[in-house]
Amino acid sequence: MFGNTVRATHLTHSHDTPADTLTLPYDDRFRRRVAMSSDNGLSFLLDLPEAAELRHGDSLVLEDGRLIRIVAADEPIMEATPADPADLARVAWHVGNRHLTCRIGADRLILRADRVIAEMLEKLGCTVTFRDGPFQPEGGAYGQGRTHDHAH
């Protein structure tokens, strides 16, 4: 224990029933050590050995064995669907060239809502639809998680 506060010391992917959930937007789902409070008010200290991506569906394991399930919060996103599915790779290249995080679907890209990028995507022949939903972009090319330490 850390003082009177229980710690979450590692992540797991479990189908066991969690004690609670922790709903976070994308920007708050890459952490190492921070005081947190679950959706129902359970206070704990996130105390991981290194910064990790808290992915939707994963669980934090508390010292006492309880699980706190990570839930990706709804946030403003947009879906870009090319008129011709064969153009998806070309559109994805333009998004990647701008170092934008996205989720690649079978026929669309899902990105954070951004009117300037939406205009670019429309000029590339996409239909862009804005909505609220969970944002879980692709992981890094050199392993799971985000790519903050890469060189150009």
Side-chain angles (χ1 to χ4, degrees):
M1 297 284 202
F2 184 83
N4 291 332
T5 303
V6 66
R7 294 182 313 144
T9 57
H10 64 280
L11 280 165
T12 189
H13 191 81
S14 171
H15 296 288
D16 293 342
T17 302
D20 204 346
T21 56
L22 177 63
T23 303
L24 298 168
Y26 177 69
D27 285 339
D28 290 339
R29 292 196 324 264
F30 189 75
R31 299 282 184 214
R32 187 190 88 69
R33 190 166 197 270
V34 64
M36 301 187 109
S37 183
S38 70
D39 293 340
N40 290 313
L42 174 65
S43 294
F44 62 95
L45 176 68
L46 179 65
D47 193 11
L48 301 176
E50 58 187 30
E53 183 156 9
L54 310 178
R55 296 184 62 81
H56 178 83
D58 284 348
S59 294
L60 294 167
V61 181
L62 301 180
E63 289 174 308
D64 60 13
R66 289 179 292 172
L67 300 175
I68 305 294
R69 182 81 26 90
I70 304 299
V71 177
D74 283 350
E75 51 193 305
I77 59 175
M78 60 186 184
E79 294 183 356
T81 307
D84 182 347
D87 288 336
L88 185 63
R90 180 177 58 84
V91 173
W93 181 87
H94 283 282
V95 168
N97 192 45
R98 285 158 183 79
H99 296 260
L100 300 172
T101 54
C102 76
R103 166 64 83 204
I104 301 171
D107 65 345
R108 72 193 66 217
L109 301 178
I110 302 168
L111 304 100
R112 292 174 184 241
D114 183 311
R115 297 277 179 200
V116 172
I117 298 302
E119 185 177 319
M120 176 199 75
L121 293 165
E122 288 168 344
K123 287 179 181 175
L124 291 170
C126 293
T127 299
V128 178
T129 305
F130 289 87
R131 66 179 178 87
D132 285 341
F135 185 58
Q136 187 64 55
E138 301 295 325
Y142 297 99
Q144 291 188 329
R146 302 183 190 190
T147 55
H148 292 294
D149 295 324
H150 62 285
H152 295 274

